[in-house]
Amino acid sequence: MTTEMSSPSDYGYVNQITLRWKDNDVYGHVNNVEYYSFFDTVINAFLIVEAGLDIHAGSTIGLCAESHCNFMAPVAFPDTVTAGLRVAHLGNSSVRYELALFDGGGVPIAEGWFVHVFVDRGTRRASPIPPSLRAKLEELGP
């Protein structure tokens, strides 16, 4: 991740996430675990809606192998979070995403990364990223 302040325009895929009352914790802001959920949400929205990943019957599925989040600022219900996604590295069977979350004013509230390893649904062994999915991921990456 870069140390410079990023903006949603730095990401090839952007999605809006409406915060829910239950996302807040006793301290009055969104609990840190929810940030990881937002990362997971934007990644899977892209994979399912934009890249056509069949999560119910496809032979290849993505599993999280590693993730990280750098918290920069709090956010709270009823705000909306803008989630940005781009590909930092695309391997044979894995992808490393870079993500950022922004508040309603476009101020970064978190940045992080997430590694997906694509596996055969039945064996859970690493499997090459299917060509159609790879093509969509290449649109987001270097």
Side-chain angles (χ1 to χ4, degrees), residues 100-131:
L101 303 175
F102 304 90
D103 69 12
V107 175
I109 60 171
E111 291 183 325
W113 43 264
F114 191 106
V115 175
H116 250 159
V117 174
F118 290 90
V119 301
D120 177 85
R121 177 184 297 276
T123 67
R124 295 295 203 255
R125 294 198 180 273
S127 177
I129 298 170

Side-chain angles (χ1 to χ4, degrees), residues 13 17 21 23 38 50 62 64 70 77 83 102 108 110 117 121 142:
Y13 181 74
I17 299 171
W21 174 251
D23 295 332
F38 301 153
E50 302 295 326
C64 178
N70 180 28
F77 175 84
F102 304 90
V117 174
R121 177 184 297 276

Side-chain angles (χ1 to χ4, degrees), residues 26-71:
V26 69
Y27 302 113
H29 64 266
V30 170
N31 188 271
N32 61 15
V33 72
E34 299 300 333
Y35 287 58
Y36 285 97
S37 179
F38 301 153
F39 286 173
D40 203 27
T41 296
V42 70
I43 290 167
N44 283 291
F46 173 79
L47 292 174
I48 295 164
V49 176
E50 302 295 326
L53 183 66
D54 183 349
I55 60 170
H56 298 292
S59 61
T60 303
I61 59 173
L63 301 179
C64 178
E66 192 173 2
S67 63
H68 172 79
C69 183
N70 180 28
F71 303 96

